[in-house]
Amino acid sequence: MKVTQQDLFDRARQVIPGGVNSPVRAYGSVGGTPRFIDSASGCRIRDTEGKQYIDFVGSWGPMILGHAHPVILEAIEKALKDGTSFGAPTTREIELASLIVDLVPGAEMARLTSSGTEATMSALRLARGITGRDLCLKFEGCYHGHGDSFLVAAGSGAATHGHPSSPGVPEAIANLTTVVPYNDLAAVQNCMEEMGERVAAIIVEPVAGNMGCVLPAPGFLEGLREQCTRHGALLIFDEVMTGFRVGPGSAQGLYGIEPDLTTLGKIVGGGMPMGVVCGPTSKMEQLSPVGPIYQAGTLSGNPLSVAAGVALLSLLKDGAEQIYPALEAKAERLQAGWKSALDQHGIEHCWNRVGSMFGLFFTAGPVTNFSEASAADSQVFRRFFHGLLEAGISIAPSPFEAGFLSMAHSDDDIDQSIEAVSSLQL
Ligand code: KE4
């Protein structure tokens, strides 16, 4: 008897909260039944009923060269033969850390973790340990993983499911985090004038990807750099999503701003579990075992994840001159095509995009912060999402997420998605 997605979802919800291991996958803001994915290759994913979708989620960012890239699979398969985890240093970790240091302008050292959340939690603890201060400033709609200090006015799944400030976070912890609107430098300056000497860090997504895609206003990142320097706080660039996505030097290379600490994830692990905290030696050596600030992980630097990360970063480094211009051209084609199709539908919308990372909002725009992103028409988004899904196009099941293109998206694939948008009944 044929097992449907609904059957799987019903079974999953018996043994997994909401049937998913990460809330945004549950289609909470768009309704309907999540697709259970059997396999993926190139720019396509295939569900358990055999239906294929052109994928613009890319596992939320890692798949910049497409799913199941042969070089990455081969690297994992080769590493697999030697075992899955040793809990001891390996040569390959030196290679990955060296690649990160080479590619990330603000990095002289890197500490590997198993997720972006671990990376941001560790970066904030490092900043607090270095400065001896407790406060953290973040931006409404930015998401830095599910660490307690960051689940205050958070984006992504937290915003999607209506709990931007999660229950379970002690008030004493939440009170250490101050939240201001993204791109509001005056609000940052006011905060820092008032409490700057108690602020350990300002943490920011240099291009926000968890309230849809929102770009830094001209001077915003420069202003954060100046404020941190002036008040002795550390500037943390959370590049878990933008790292190696918006350019070979990540957002800090693109915008020419050097943060004090950088967090990475997604692409750096080649689609395997991985996060990174990186920065200058003077700061990174404050981490145990050299310094006193503790940070650890059983599977940190896991051989399979590191093999995948080395493979993907090496491909991006060696092919950067071809890859990033090609991604830009693909994204331009997509944006122009979807825009034209939506204009023909008479649907009010606006785009934000940096390279192959984009956000589409059903509002006239501009969208420069979370409140403007929240004003977009969620009902149109719901119809848009399901219409595309039906047509074999997979986008993020939330308006508070970014979309991604890969090198595996051909012009034909992009044109197929444009045709799907044109044919929607919105
Ligand atoms: P993870 O712990 O999910 O690996 O990384 C957390 C994180 C930190 N910083 C930024 C800027 C991030 O975008 C993320 C995770 N991104 C979401 C997608 N918006 C992951 C998807 C999910 O939660 O399932």
Side-chain angles (χ1 to χ4, degrees):
M1 187 178 91
K2 183 180 173 186
V3 177
T4 67
Q5 311 283 327
Q6 188 60 50
D7 295 333
L8 291 172
F9 196 33
D10 292 344
R11 278 167 48 195
R13 284 185 291 186
Q14 299 298 315
V15 288
I16 304 170
V20 293
N21 283 306
S22 201
V24 71
R25 303 174 190 173
Y27 284 18
S29 69
V30 292
T33 302
R35 296 302 185 263
F36 283 66
I37 302 305
D38 251 359
S39 66
S41 178
C43 73
R44 282 173 169 77
I45 54 177
R46 188 169 61 86
D47 72 22
T48 55
E49 295 180 48
K51 182 170 180 176
Q52 293 203 28
Y53 307 82
I54 298 174
D55 178 23
F56 292 101
V57 179
S59 183
W60 307 99
M63 304 307 169
I64 191 168
L65 298 186
H67 288 283
H69 190 285
V71 171
I72 297 171
L73 293 194
E74 184 187 350
I76 297 169
E77 286 162 1
K78 186 170 179 295
L80 191 56
K81 292 185 176 59
D82 296 332
T84 57
S85 177
F86 315 128
T90 63
T91 311
R92 207 180 278 119
E93 288 164 86
I94 304 170
E95 191 180 356
L96 181 56
S98 302
L99 271 168
I100 292 164
V101 167
D102 184 29
L103 290 167
V104 179
E108 293 177 332
M109 282 196 158
R111 168 64 59 85
L112 308 183
T113 68
S114 296
S115 70
T117 292
E118 276 188 86
T120 56
M121 285 167 59
S122 304
L124 180 56
R125 182 180 310 128
L126 180 56
R128 284 172 164 158
I130 289 171
T131 61
R133 302 174 178 183
D134 294 340
L135 302 189
C136 154
L137 189 151
K138 76 176 284 286
F139 296 90
E140 187 184 25
C142 281
Y143 178 72
H144 305 291
H146 61 92
D148 279 354
S149 296
F150 304 124
L151 285 181
V152 183
S156 184
T160 299
H161 292 82
H163 301 293
S165 301
S166 172
V169 176
E171 199 171 331
I173 299 287
N175 289 342
L176 296 178
T177 299
T178 297
V179 181
V180 296
Y182 194 78
N183 279 324
D184 189 342
L185 193 53
V188 174
Q189 287 161 339
N190 291 340
C191 263
M192 296 302 278
E193 284 308 315
E194 184 190 330
M195 58 179 78
E197 75 287 349
R198 293 190 291 129
V199 174
I202 294 178
I203 186 168
V204 67
E205 292 181 59
V207 176
N210 290 290
M211 50 179 130
C213 178
V214 175
L215 278 59
F220 176 59
L221 298 177
E222 292 81 353
L224 298 184
R225 176 65 278 166
E226 188 275 331
Q227 284 295 307
C228 284
T229 303
R230 176 194 295 252
H231 294 281
L234 300 194
L235 178 59
I236 302 175
F237 268 16
D238 178 358
E239 297 224 43
V240 166
M241 191 181 285
T242 55
F244 316 109
R245 165 62 64 175
V246 297
S250 305
Q252 57 196 271
L254 184 67
Y255 294 106
I257 306 282
E258 187 158 312
D260 295 297
L261 294 174
T262 301
T263 54
L264 301 165
K266 299 179 191 283
I267 288 174
V268 75
M272 295 287 281
M274 172 89 63
V276 179
V277 191
C278 54
T281 301
S282 59
K283 293 185 172 67
M284 293 300 291
E285 285 199 332
Q286 299 290 318
L287 285 175
S288 179
V290 184
I293 302 167
Y294 199 66
Q295 191 282 337
T298 301
L299 296 176
S300 296
N302 174 270
L304 306 187
S305 296
V306 171
V310 166
L312 181 48
L313 288 199
S314 300
L315 288 168
L316 293 175
K317 177 183 175 183
D318 298 343
E321 287 184 12
Q322 294 75 38
I323 290 170
Y324 291 96
L327 287 171
E328 177 62 30
K330 292 174 189 289
E332 278 174 358
R333 185 184 189 99
L334 181 92
Q335 180 172 343
W338 284 23
K339 178 179 182 336
S340 167
L342 288 168
D343 287 345
Q344 283 165 20
H345 283 300
I347 299 285
E348 188 176 67
H349 69 286
C350 69
W351 280 80
N352 287 334
R353 181 173 69 78
V354 178
S356 57
M357 172 178 169
F358 62 88
L360 170 59
F361 302 89
F362 291 110
T363 177
V367 174
T368 66
N369 59 37
F370 183 67
S371 65
E372 291 166 355
S374 302
D377 189 321
S378 58
Q379 292 312 308
V380 172
F381 177 83
R382 179 191 284 249
R383 293 197 298 275
F384 183 72
F385 171 82
H386 282 290
L388 285 183
L389 195 65
E390 196 52 40
I393 307 295
S394 173
I395 65 171
S398 163
F400 299 121
E401 295 292 352
F404 302 98
L405 271 154
S406 80
M407 286 298 283
H409 287 83
S410 69
D411 286 353
D412 287 348
D413 298 319
I414 293 167
D415 294 349
Q416 194 176 320
S417 75
I418 295 168
E419 177 51 38
V421 175
S422 296
S423 307
L424 288 179
Q425 303 298 318
L426 288 172

